[in-house]
């Protein structure tokens, strides 16, 4: 590729609130970007003894509001640097919307 070659690069614009005319963040999605769906749970369960015959009961903590997330990991090498610079961003959305975002962004990166 020559230096005057134009290569389209997908970007993600994020806004802090509806109606704000400018984005809070602009994230460039390149071939070194990895986008994945993650479930953020702490696995907080407590086990107690009791009941008939010494049975154990598990008390599950309620789900967190930000459990269904998508994670964007971007790694880039700067000129003359041996250690890559890695940036991670995590966004929260309901499960179906989160999955749609992950699919759409990965699809844009692959095309």
């Amino acid at each position: 590729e020559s230096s005057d070659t134009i290569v389209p690069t997908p970007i993600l614009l994020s806004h802090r609130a509806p109606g704000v005319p400018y984005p809070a963040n602009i994230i460039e999605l390149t071939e070194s970007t990895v986008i994945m769906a993650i479930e953020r749970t702490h696995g907080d369960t407590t086990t107690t003894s009791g009941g008939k015959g010494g049975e154990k009961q598990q008390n599950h903590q309620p789900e967190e509001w930000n459990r269904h997330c998508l994670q964007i990991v971007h790694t880039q090498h700067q000129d003359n640097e041996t250690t890559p610079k890695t940036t991670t961003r995590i966004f929260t959305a309901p499960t179906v919307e989160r999955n749609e975002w992950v699919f759409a962004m990965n699809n844009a990166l692959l095309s």
Side-chain angles (χ1 to χ4, degrees):
E1 279 183 24
S2 67
S3 61
D4 60 348
T5 303
I6 297 173
V7 178
T9 302
I11 60 172
L12 176 65
L13 303 175
S14 66
H15 294 266
R16 293 200 188 274
V20 176
Y22 50 88
N25 292 302
I26 300 172
I27 301 170
E28 184 179 14
L29 306 176
T30 65
E31 64 272 353
S32 64
T33 303
V34 177
I35 302 167
M36 62 193 118
I38 59 172
E39 296 292 327
R40 293 192 337 172
T41 58
H42 300 292
D44 292 337
T45 58
T46 56
T47 305
T48 58
S49 300
K52 291 185 177 180
E55 299 166 353
K56 293 186 177 183
Q57 300 172 347
Q58 288 191 351
N59 299 324
H60 295 279
Q61 299 294 327
E63 293 182 1
E64 297 90 23
W65 64 271
N66 62 349
R67 178 177 180 178
H68 311 292
C69 303
L70 62 100
Q71 182 174 11
I72 300 173
V73 180
H74 178 72
T75 302
Q76 63 183 9
H77 285 276
Q78 299 290 344
D79 294 334
N80 302 324
E81 288 187 10
T82 56
T83 305
K85 177 184 173 189
T86 301
T87 308
T88 302
R89 296 297 307 256
I90 296 177
F91 296 91
T92 303
T95 306
V96 172
E97 291 177 23
R98 185 259 330 250
N99 293 343
E100 290 172 354
W101 274 103
V102 170
F103 177 79
M105 288 189 286
N106 279 317
N107 195 30
L109 287 172
L110 293 173
S111 41

